Amino acid sequence: MSTSPHQAIQPFYVLGLAPAATRAELEREAQKLLGMLELGLSSAASYATPLGPRQRTPELIRQAIAELRIPERRLLHELWAALPAPAPQPQPQPAADPSPGAPYRDHPAAPPPPHTPQTAPAPEAAPTFPGAFELFAWRRP
Amino acid sequence: MITAPRYVGIDLGTTNSTAAVFDGDRVTLVRNAQGGHLTPSIVRIDARGGLTIGARARRYLESDPENTRSEFKRLMGTGQELLFPASGRRLRPQELSAELLRALRADIEEQFGFVPDHAVISVPALFELPQSDATAEAARLAGFQRIELIQEPIASALAAGWTAEESAGAWLVYDLGGGTFDVSLLETRDGLLRVIGHDGDNFLGGRDFDWALVEWALGKIKEQSGLDLSRADPAHAPALRKLKLAAEEAKIELTRAERTTLSIPALTLHQGAPYDLDLPIDRATLERLCAPIIDRSVEVCRRLLAAHGLAPGGLDHVVMVGGPSVTPLVRQRVSAGLGVALSDGLDPMTLVAQGAAIYAATAGLDARPSASDVQPGHRVWLHYPAMSSDLTPHVVGRLVEPKAPGAPTQLRLRRGDDLWEGPWADIDAEASFILSTSLLARRANVFRIEARAADGKPVEVSPPAITIVQGLTIHDPPLSRTIGVALANDQVRVYFERGAPLPARRTFTLYTVAGVIRGSEDDALKIPIVQGEYDEAHFCRLVGALVITGKDLKDSLPSGSEIEMTLELDRGGRLSARALIPALAQVFEDVAQLLVPLADPEVLAATFDVVRGRIAGLRADAFRRGAIAQLDRLSAVQADLDAAHVDLEAARGGDADAAQKARRALLEIDADLEQLELDRRWPELDREARESTIWASSWVSELGLPHEQRLLDETMKALDKARQERDPLELQRQLRLVSRLGNTASLRHPEAWSRRFESAASEISGATDLVKAQALVKEGREALARGDQGALRAVTQKLWQLLPSDVERRRLGYDSGVR
Amino acid sequence: MTRCAAPALLLLLALVAHDAAAPQINGRADLVVAILFTLFLWAATLYTLLVQGGLTWTLTRWFAVPLGLPITAYHLGRHAARWRHDPHGGGALMAVLALHRRPEREPAVAERLQTWLAANPLKTAGLVANGLRYALHGERDLARDLLQAALTAEADRPSTLAATYAADWLCADAAARGAWDELIDLGARPIATSRGAAFLIAVARRLLGRGAPSPTDAGLRLAWWLAPRHSLTRPLLLRALAQPRVLHRSPAPPPPPPPPHEDPPLPQDPLPRALALHARVLLAAPLALRLQPARLGDACRAWDDLHRSGLIHQLTAERALHLGVSARAEAVQDAFFAEVAADLAAISERAALPLPQALAAADPAEPTPGAITERAIAQLRSRLLTELEAAIDALDACAARPALPALDAWREWERLRQLHHRAAALGGTALRQLVFPGLHRSACNFAVWLWNERKEHAIAAPIFRWLLAEAEHVGDEAAITLQRKNVGVKAS
């Protein structure tokens, strides 16, 4: 499934407003956010959702406001937005891999890709050995 | 130098074109050289290549029809070239439209003293992508730098809403044009206009009144003199042209007079002598001829209202647009049919252009050439709605050079009338600020930007002032017709619904249904892009396709490979597509943009026969079953088909426009028939569902495992739901599941394979290789006689392979290679 | 035998002819004859030495491959006696190994490699070469599948060199991802592993303390010393040595302790509470490892309860009145629960966690799914079945394409197999029994086509084996008999 979960692109979260907002408030906020994005202001660049902060784009804002203009769609989104988005807090940036070329790391820096067919999970704190390919003189994929 | 913004809107019509200029307070219609507001959409090219446009060209329509072209808007997007024999020039419809736009542009310069660079151009609500693209191209050819398209009904409603005292409520825009009929249901709340729904008839228009009159006249001529003129005969074309012009004039005359005469001296040659036409006609006759056409349009309005749960009386405003809607008969019948008074004081001929100009303000498309002189002061970037329904919109801004000496630290707005000033807003760390406003309703509000530095001294900023118009708006241009990707199972993966705000972008993951071998030219993956509101792909219009052949691939692509397909539409509705194949990290972007297919009369005639056959079949069937409702609906479809036949005949006579009309008519009729057939098939499907459940539950209860029993119970629930909702696709899905469960259980029966063999043997007439299938059946019978279950099983499996698969379905889905 | 005898005879003849001609050299013609004889003699000697004496192999293995000369490696390699059953595949394998030694990608060589690999039928060496080629292009998932398949194809003759290369790469890949238990599984298979792989497997056994006896410190050091690239592997050795040796496998791995959670407290109201539980599951779902079954179960339960309580009905009715869409309230409520169910189905699929199992984990006393969970289960099942149907159709379509390269045919099969694996994990035996008849029919036809018409035995054999195992699982007697016959016949 390629579509994001409903909670991630909730129009009320995108606009940063509560379900009780009036239509004029929604329109005004959308207009303001579009302007802020156009001018490249970082304060408008992301929005808070229960799934963590997400990137705000002009398309998302347009879609959000278009959805909320249709009363029955708005009603549906009000249900999803019954859980208030957490107050935005500075998210710690995912730490960059200190030395991607290093052959040995004690902790996985990144989770395995979700579609890895092998089912066995890596045990807690199991080391990885990215240098294993060099051991056989193979190029690291 | 003009200081206030000017917004230009153009109604590029089939019959007439109009331009209007909006300055924030008032809409002014542009006058052409003849002093009129309407410029006939007619272009003439004489032998020396000289161009004549508008009313002056219209004079030649009768005397020199070969070199004078009208109604070319209907051919937009077809790629068909129109020949002007005298000069030998061939022009595409968009080039002719460009000439028209150029003339309108010159008229604007003449009246307002500037050449507009930006404009909004209206298009019919049901225009498809190729047609919109052609319109945009025409504007570019005419020299416009940026344009936006707006659908005509939205423009009409915007214009009507701008002038109306009380605009809240439900609106119906009844737009009867020369050749098409569009009706739109809109709603205004809090100053915002929202399109609720569209409907229309691509084959109904003012010209149908003319043709009805012509057909009536032809009948009379034949009756009186035995002269048989036919639209199908190219030799009769000149006479018919004369007759149609006379009919048009008579129609207009009859709106005032009670009776008139169709008189054309030397209409044609009859038995070697010139035939003079002299045919009296009265208003009652005209009304009798036109009433069914108008009633058809009212029926469409009712259908639209019903679809959105509105009673005809529930409308607050009905706006009439288009030349034919001036006719008293039309106004009277529509008003009576919908049970509501029509909005008056609006000019149906220019309303669209006015609305387009107002929309240009919403879109912020100031038509004046961009000022090159830099004003003194600290430069600020501002973002605000040029037109707003909100009384207190925000103005967001950013200082261009925050580090410059003496840069402002606070800003505010002061309204031009000096009766309001906003609070001071601080400039934050990103050098940005948000200013509040307060607008006066229904007018252009000018705000001066005041700024002060850290020491409190006033500072000059550039620009020094902005203008925001308050009024009814629509924020983003809505998409006119649903766009999606046709899938291999003839379904449509919808990307953008009709009415979706533009610009828009969406990505879906699709999966290939067959592998594509690297390097192979024969292997191709086709991703068809379609436009239309039908669930089945083959009823929608193919507007583009992305084709990836084996030669383009870095590696072979197995079936089921992921394709991340992105469709993007810009504000003008221009489509671009992008397919990413993650496994190969390859991106494909070359969409073959399609043109509206040329309608070949022979192909049309063949389709026509097929459709007629289908109707006959359905009708016979309905008679047998005594299904009265079905018969009524079939009669309506038959009437549409008869109307299409007139166009088909005209197409045979060389009328490309009529051919297009016939093509669309046949497509819509086909879709209607499909629905009828589905309704007919439903009881059958329903019966099949009931039988299958009985069959499967008996097998499962006898030989099934407990979990199979549970699964069957669940499936039967889903099946019941699908039956209640009359959802044939879901029903078929669940049926498959039920049969599978039944099969699994029945397989445990000792005689399972002999039954399966018999069932497969009964279907061999459809086998791909009949000879081989017959041999297999013979072999199977022998195995059956021997009681050799193993051999029987092998034979049955081989037999299954020869039975027809889903090839047909894929063909219907425009050979789509994705699901 | 004949291959050895013919050159030997030639050599003998040449020597005899040379000796016979030597004393009578007089005149130009004789000189030419003598030179030709001598040249012939040398060529024959060289051929005998190179091909029959194993020199070709030596040159390929120790010269062309290490120096990164793919074209030489291919041409020498395909003449090596070692690859005489699969000269094309063997040569290509050598070429890929050489390519791995080159510092950067060379599209031209890669192109030629692909033509060599297109030679049919595909045997183990060819499969391994293809797998290593994908690895070279960074398509690790594909490489892994292909090399695993190569090992399966080799199930009867596990000791070939190609299998060793495949196992080596799989070991390296598992170690690089930290999937040490895969290494233990690889170590348990009867494959002759290289010394590098042996070291990695020893490390895995030590780290996880299972799979054969956990190696001693001395054993580990020995394995390390035997493996190449000591400086590279030293940190790993030290890390493994730091892990205490486990002598007996613990009876059952302790369930992962519930993380000391920083979860925010759940809201009291039922709707926000269900939404918060839903969000919590979604937060964990992208990393399937972190999603605990009980959490998904809690979320399902919360939705089921909410649905039963009728609260949403009340809520939508009120708001619909306010928004002026009372007539649509019911439809909105339906749409809302449909979206919830779709989310749950997607989570279950992504995390490979069946919803009934999640419910049971949340509350073993009440494992019956409610309306919303039922809907999600049905939705997922129907999706999986549709996917499988499409994959089976695609397999059927293969037989109609005689020009389909063997590798592409294999990929079609592999995709179906993986899809089935995933679906089986989610749908259990019920789903497997449901799809088996159709799957068996198509897959068996496909494999028979591969075997009989395409002679692709290396690809077809594992399909028969897989079908047999699956038939045994679902208990389809007729299919078991048929596949036993197929496996028996094909393996001989």
Side-chain angles (χ1 to χ4, degrees):
Chain A
M1 301 223 166
S2 64
T3 43
S4 313
H6 299 94
Q7 279 175 317
I9 48 165
Q10 228 310 302
F12 284 105
Y13 296 154
V14 173
L15 298 181
L17 290 174
T22 64
R23 190 163 164 187
E25 282 168 347
L26 293 169
E27 295 284 349
R28 196 177 304 148
E29 193 63 19
Q31 184 68 43
K32 185 182 95 184
L33 289 171
L34 280 172
M36 290 171 80
L37 281 187
E38 181 110 328
L39 296 178
L41 305 186
S42 63
S43 47
S46 72
Y47 62 97
T49 78
L51 306 182
R54 300 272 162 155
Q55 199 196 346
R56 198 185 258 138
T57 61
E59 282 107 48
L60 262 181
I61 299 174
R62 278 197 195 93
Q63 269 164 25
I65 191 70
E67 282 277 287
L68 295 180
R69 279 177 197 143
I70 307 168
E72 55 256 45
R73 297 293 301 165
R74 174 180 170 143
L75 180 54
L76 177 68
H77 295 306
E78 282 183 6
L79 292 174
W80 276 109
L83 178 70
Q89 50 188 341
Q91 272 310 100
Q93 289 296 310
D97 186 354
S99 49
Y104 175 77
R105 266 200 308 261
D106 206 37
H107 295 282
H115 57 287
T116 307
Q118 265 62 23
T119 49
E124 217 47 61
T128 59
F129 183 45
F133 292 104
E134 280 92 334
L135 179 62
F136 300 96
W138 281 327
R139 207 183 296 161
R140 200 185 292 187
Chain B
M1 182 73 207
I2 314 153
T3 48
R6 293 281 187 272
Y7 304 103
V8 171
I10 295 172
D11 171 10
L12 192 60
T14 309
T15 323
N16 292 302
S17 296
T18 317
V21 174
F22 179 53
D23 62 4
D25 289 321
R26 243 160 25 92
V27 184
T28 314
L29 291 168
V30 177
R31 291 187 183 284
N32 56 27
Q34 286 72 35
H37 298 314
L38 301 178
T39 303
S41 304
I42 299 170
V43 175
R44 170 181 148 78
I45 303 179
D46 61 26
R48 283 163 303 158
L51 272 165
T52 319
I53 285 156
R56 289 202 300 134
R58 193 189 156 88
R59 289 183 215 139
Y60 295 93
L61 206 52
E62 202 178 336
S63 59
D64 184 17
E66 304 278 272
N67 296 301
T68 312
R69 297 289 185 167
S70 64
E71 301 201 347
F72 40 82
K73 179 180 173 183
R74 284 165 157 278
L75 297 176
M76 290 285 261
T78 57
Q80 184 171 356
E81 288 188 328
L82 297 170
L83 175 67
F84 292 82
S87 59
R89 283 183 70 183
R90 283 173 179 279
L91 291 178
R92 289 175 302 150
Q94 51 263 55
E95 288 168 326
L96 292 173
S97 294
E99 293 302 338
L100 202 57
L101 287 172
R102 215 170 267 148
L104 293 172
R105 214 168 160 226
D107 291 340
I108 294 172
E109 188 188 7
E110 178 73 28
Q111 188 173 344
F112 292 89
F114 70 94
V115 184
D117 281 341
H118 306 151
V120 166
I121 298 177
S122 65
V123 290
L126 297 177
F127 247 26
E128 286 155 354
L129 284 176
Q131 295 159 299
S132 298
D133 276 352
T135 308
E137 194 193 334
R140 270 194 305 278
L141 291 173
F144 285 103
Q145 286 166 12
R146 223 187 105 199
I147 61 129
E148 275 197 28
L149 304 180
I150 184 168
Q151 293 143 40
E152 285 161 7
I154 298 175
S156 312
L158 269 177
W162 175 257
T163 46
E165 277 308 310
E166 174 51 54
S167 64
W171 294 70
L172 188 88
V173 178
Y174 176 102
D175 181 356
L176 188 60
T180 57
F181 170 64
D182 288 326
V183 55
S184 305
L185 184 61
L186 301 105
E187 176 210 57
T188 43
R189 252 173 54 181
D190 308 330
L192 270 170
L193 188 67
R194 182 168 77 91
V195 182
I196 298 178
H198 283 292
D199 206 333
D201 190 330
N202 262 342
F203 325 109
L204 201 159
R207 288 198 323 160
D208 290 317
F209 298 160
D210 304 339
W211 282 120
L213 208 53
V214 170
E215 295 288 338
W216 171 82
L218 290 179
K220 286 276 173 201
I221 293 170
K222 193 173 174 192
E223 200 177 285
Q224 289 171 2
S225 63
L227 169 61
D228 190 2
L229 290 172
S230 160
R231 283 176 78 185
D233 189 345
H236 296 161
L240 279 162
R241 216 166 11 243
K242 283 187 210 160
L243 191 57
K244 180 160 176 279
L245 278 174
E248 261 180 76
E249 279 163 15
K251 183 185 74 181
I252 293 165
E253 188 145 352
L254 283 175
T255 60
R256 283 163 299 163
E258 269 303 318
R259 57 185 65 246
T260 184
T261 315
L262 277 175
S263 77
I264 310 169
L267 175 67
T268 184
L269 286 175
H270 181 44
Q271 293 165 349
Y275 175 83
D276 299 331
L277 178 70
D278 195 27
L279 196 63
I281 178 169
D282 58 7
R283 192 191 279 178
T285 309
L286 179 72
E287 290 187 353
R288 185 171 51 76
L289 289 172
C290 296
I293 303 172
I294 304 168
D295 290 351
R296 246 171 87 195
S297 74
V298 174
E299 202 40 56
V300 174
C301 297
R302 288 226 183 94
R303 189 168 74 195
L304 176 66
L305 294 180
H308 295 277
L310 237 101
L315 286 169
D316 297 285
H317 314 265
V318 174
V319 179
M320 304 290 282
V321 187
S325 67
V326 194
T327 323
L329 178 70
V330 173
R331 297 181 68 88
Q332 179 201 325
R333 281 192 98 92
V334 169
S335 177
L338 297 176
V340 64
L342 309 181
S343 307
D344 44 17
L346 302 170
D347 178 5
M349 304 301 282
T350 60
L351 205 58
V352 172
Q354 294 180 42
I358 294 169
Y359 177 71
T362 302
L365 277 182
D366 189 350
R368 296 166 303 162
S370 37
S372 53
D373 51 335
V374 179
Q375 282 149 326
H378 292 274
R379 279 176 57 217
V380 286
W381 284 315
L382 294 173
H383 197 279
Y384 57 92
M387 184 156 175
S388 167
S389 56
D390 186 2
L391 288 168
T392 56
H394 293 296
V395 173
V396 186
R398 191 171 190 172
L399 275 184
V400 177
E401 289 159 332
K403 297 272 192 292
T409 54
Q410 285 186 314
L411 289 104
R412 73 170 173 192
L413 295 177
R414 180 188 289 275
R415 203 165 60 204
D417 59 5
D418 281 333
L419 292 176
W420 179 90
E421 62 182 29
W424 287 103
D426 291 328
I427 292 176
D428 70 7
E430 278 191 283
S432 66
F433 49 86
I434 298 173
L435 306 176
S436 12
T437 59
S438 173
L439 304 185
L440 294 174
R442 287 164 181 281
R443 66 169 64 180
N445 293 263
V446 179
F447 290 94
R448 282 199 306 280
I449 306 172
E450 297 183 339
R452 63 186 184 195
D455 54 8
K457 284 195 184 135
V459 181
E460 259 190 295
V461 288
S462 163
I466 57 170
T467 306
I468 302 178
V469 180
Q470 201 283 335
L472 185 69
T473 61
I474 180 155
H475 273 308
D476 290 309
L479 178 65
S480 59
R481 309 200 78 167
T482 304
I483 291 182
V485 166
L487 305 180
N489 60 0
D490 192 28
Q491 304 259 40
V492 180
R493 167 64 56 85
V494 172
Y495 271 65
F496 313 107
E497 297 262 10
R498 174 193 267 187
L502 299 182
R505 177 170 52 200
R506 212 153 175 204
T507 303
F508 279 112
T509 305
L510 307 173
Y511 300 88
T512 56
V513 289
V516 183
I517 305 171
R518 175 182 169 273
S520 158
E521 258 184 277
D522 308 330
D523 263 16
L525 170 68
K526 187 172 168 195
I527 308 176
I529 300 164
V530 295
Q531 195 169 25
E533 282 72 40
Y534 297 104
D535 292 336
E536 286 97 344
H538 71 281
F539 291 133
C540 297
R541 275 267 295 108
L542 183 66
V543 291
L546 199 118
V547 180
I548 302 170
T549 65
K551 276 182 81 83
D552 311 325
L553 291 172
K554 282 201 283 196
D555 198 351
S556 296
L557 203 61
S559 72
S561 298
E562 275 186 22
I563 300 209
E564 284 179 15
M565 180 78 180
T566 306
L567 293 188
E568 195 170 351
L569 288 162
D570 68 7
R571 270 184 85 90
R574 232 184 135 70
L575 177 82
S576 55
R578 187 185 134 93
L580 166 72
I581 305 179
L584 307 181
Q586 264 189 296
V587 175
F588 297 90
E589 294 182 311
D590 296 329
V591 179
Q593 293 282 357
L594 292 190
L595 298 168
V596 176
L598 284 179
D600 176 24
E602 294 314 311
V603 176
L604 286 177
T607 317
F608 184 86
D609 289 341
V610 171
V611 170
R612 195 161 47 192
R614 273 180 79 183
I615 293 182
L618 280 169
R619 181 172 285 155
D621 182 73
F623 264 124
R624 250 199 322 279
R625 292 180 297 119
I628 304 298
Q630 188 99 357
L631 280 173
D632 285 351
R633 285 170 64 190
L634 276 168
S635 307
V637 176
Q638 181 70 54
D640 289 346
L641 189 70
D642 293 343
H645 190 251
V646 176
D647 285 313
L648 180 64
E649 289 298 308
R652 283 217 173 103
D655 185 345
D657 173 25
Q660 283 300 333
K661 207 173 136 184
R663 185 184 62 77
R664 284 154 173 273
L666 286 173
L667 204 63
E668 297 211 348
I669 290 169
D670 206 26
D672 285 348
L673 285 181
E674 186 73 11
Q675 187 58 45
L676 273 167
E677 252 172 27
L678 184 70
D679 288 352
R680 189 187 63 82
R681 262 195 2 245
W682 180 260
E684 209 173 285
L685 211 60
D686 197 44
R687 198 183 60 236
E688 192 188 332
R690 270 178 285 134
E691 284 172 3
S692 293
T693 42
I694 294 167
W695 165 79
S697 38
S698 69
W699 276 120
V700 173
S701 63
E702 191 186 332
L703 297 164
L705 305 174
H707 67 256
E708 286 171 350
Q709 183 64 54
R710 215 173 47 239
L711 209 56
L712 183 70
D713 292 345
E714 269 176 40
T715 313
M716 301 227 292
K717 259 190 246 164
L719 196 84
D720 274 344
K721 192 158 169 253
R723 270 169 63 184
Q724 277 162 19
E725 289 169 3
R726 283 181 79 102
D727 181 346
L729 285 173
E730 179 62 18
L731 187 74
Q732 279 164 348
R733 263 183 73 76
Q734 297 298 342
L735 258 180
R736 276 211 302 277
L737 204 60
V738 167
S739 334
R740 207 198 318 252
L741 277 164
N743 274 334
T744 312
S746 71
L747 210 61
R748 300 198 182 97
H749 194 276
E751 283 175 21
W753 282 103
S754 59
R755 293 175 193 207
R756 291 180 157 209
F757 167 75
E758 289 300 348
S759 138
S762 67
E763 287 174 31
I764 60 161
S765 57
T768 45
D769 182 346
L770 194 59
V771 179
K772 201 169 164 190
Q774 281 165 341
L776 280 170
V777 170
K778 188 160 166 274
E779 201 182 313
R781 296 241 181 276
E782 286 162 13
L784 200 59
R786 285 198 309 274
D788 183 347
Q789 289 288 322
L792 191 62
R793 180 193 171 110
V795 166
T796 312
Q797 286 178 339
K798 278 185 199 154
L799 207 51
W800 276 338
Q801 281 208 310
L802 298 176
L803 296 180
S805 62
D806 58 351
V807 178
E808 175 67 4
R809 195 163 273 280
R810 270 191 78 181
R811 191 185 60 72
L812 282 176
Y814 295 113
D815 285 326
S816 173
V818 289
R819 63 179 170 81
Chain C
M1 268 318 282
T2 45
R3 274 178 75 106
C4 291
L9 202 65
L10 273 175
L11 186 63
L12 198 69
L13 268 173
L15 286 171
V16 170
H18 183 254
D19 285 346
Q24 292 134 29
I25 292 175
N26 48 10
R28 194 159 242 197
D30 287 345
L31 189 64
V32 171
V33 169
I35 289 172
L36 277 179
F37 263 125
T38 316
L39 278 179
F40 176 71
L41 175 78
W42 276 107
T45 315
L46 212 60
Y47 175 78
T48 315
L49 270 177
L50 277 176
V51 178
Q52 306 306 328
L55 191 62
T56 336
W57 171 245
T58 314
L59 283 175
T60 320
R61 178 72 188 82
W62 301 108
F63 170 73
V65 171
L67 287 182
L69 306 171
I71 297 171
T72 319
Y74 173 74
H75 289 295
L76 277 176
R78 49 185 271 214
H79 291 295
R82 196 173 278 268
W83 301 122
R84 67 172 156 265
H85 295 299
D86 185 8
H88 278 293
L93 176 55
M94 293 287 104
V96 182
L97 288 173
L99 264 180
H100 266 277
R101 306 291 179 106
R102 301 272 271 238
E104 57 208 61
R105 267 188 210 180
E106 278 145 284
V109 185
E111 195 76 15
R112 288 184 72 168
L113 184 64
Q114 201 146 10
T115 20
W116 299 331
L117 280 171
N120 289 328
L122 209 52
K123 293 186 181 170
T124 314
L127 276 177
V128 176
N130 268 309
L132 291 179
R133 183 174 69 86
Y134 283 123
L136 200 63
H137 293 306
E139 291 182 48
R140 218 158 137 179
D141 291 341
L142 206 53
R144 195 178 303 128
D145 296 340
L146 201 50
L147 294 174
Q148 285 281 9
L151 286 190
T152 320
E154 279 287 289
D156 314 315
R157 294 167 283 134
S159 53
T160 64
L161 186 63
T164 304
Y165 282 123
D168 279 358
W169 190 89
L170 288 169
C171 285
D173 169 62
R177 285 182 292 122
W180 299 101
D181 49 351
E182 285 176 30
L183 275 159
I184 290 177
D185 293 346
L186 280 165
R189 297 171 82 151
I191 306 160
T193 44
S194 71
R195 284 169 295 164
F199 166 66
L200 291 178
I201 291 168
V203 169
R205 285 179 180 154
R206 176 68 174 249
L207 284 175
L208 300 193
R210 61 185 185 84
S214 178
T216 59
D217 286 4
L220 261 181
R221 281 179 201 282
L222 179 68
W224 171 73
W225 187 78
L226 287 173
R229 307 287 305 269
H230 291 162
S231 57
L232 180 80
T233 48
R234 175 180 281 277
L236 187 62
L237 171 73
L238 296 179
R239 175 68 179 78
L241 286 172
Q243 186 80 19
R245 187 170 174 236
V246 179
L247 286 177
H248 301 287
R249 203 181 152 193
S250 46
H261 251 293
E262 64 298 341
D263 277 342
L266 290 172
Q268 286 301 310
D269 291 341
L271 175 58
R273 186 169 170 278
L275 284 165
L277 284 167
H278 195 82
R280 202 185 263 190
V281 169
L282 278 169
L283 268 174
L287 318 172
L289 314 176
R290 275 175 27 202
L291 178 61
Q292 290 154 22
R295 294 199 148 199
L296 181 54
D298 283 341
C300 290
R301 181 69 58 222
W303 286 121
D304 287 341
D305 291 347
L306 189 66
H307 181 260
R308 205 174 315 119
S309 72
L311 186 82
I312 296 289
H313 184 77
Q314 206 181 321
L315 212 66
T316 37
E318 274 168 31
R319 286 295 296 161
L321 196 66
H322 180 80
L323 292 169
V325 282
S326 290
R328 314 296 270 258
E330 201 65 31
V332 168
Q333 183 195 331
D334 239 33
F336 176 65
F337 281 123
E339 289 185 355
V340 169
D343 265 8
L344 291 176
I347 295 166
S348 160
E349 186 180 0
R350 214 165 355 163
L353 181 60
L355 290 175
Q357 192 184 320
L359 276 177
D363 183 4
E366 180 54 41
T368 334
I372 304 300
T373 315
E374 282 259 17
R375 203 158 158 177
I377 293 172
Q379 200 175 333
L380 179 57
R381 183 174 44 231
S382 117
R383 226 182 79 74
L384 291 171
L385 283 175
T386 315
E387 286 272 298
L388 277 167
E389 271 174 12
I392 291 172
D393 285 349
L395 206 62
D396 286 340
C398 282
R401 299 169 65 185
L404 189 73
L407 190 66
D408 292 317
W410 171 81
R411 282 171 72 175
E412 293 291 353
W413 159 250
E414 185 60 16
R415 197 178 77 79
L416 174 59
R417 195 189 60 77
Q418 284 185 12
L419 201 60
H420 183 271
H421 180 77
R422 227 178 58 214
L426 285 164
T429 303
L431 190 125
R432 283 165 83 169
Q433 284 179 330
L434 207 56
V435 291
F436 186 74
L439 173 69
H440 180 256
R441 165 157 56 99
S442 296
C444 186
N445 282 333
F446 176 72
V448 166
W449 170 73
L450 277 177
W451 185 283
N452 288 346
E453 290 180 30
R454 303 288 304 267
K455 311 287 176 221
E456 295 287 357
H457 300 184
I459 305 177
I463 303 181
F464 290 125
R465 266 198 293 278
W466 186 91
L467 283 174
L468 177 58
E470 189 61 19
E472 283 168 349
H473 182 95
V474 300
D476 186 331
E477 286 304 329
I480 295 174
T481 321
L482 179 67
Q483 294 314 331
R484 279 213 180 116
K485 222 162 62 189
N486 277 339
V487 171
V489 168
K490 316 299 183 194
S492 66

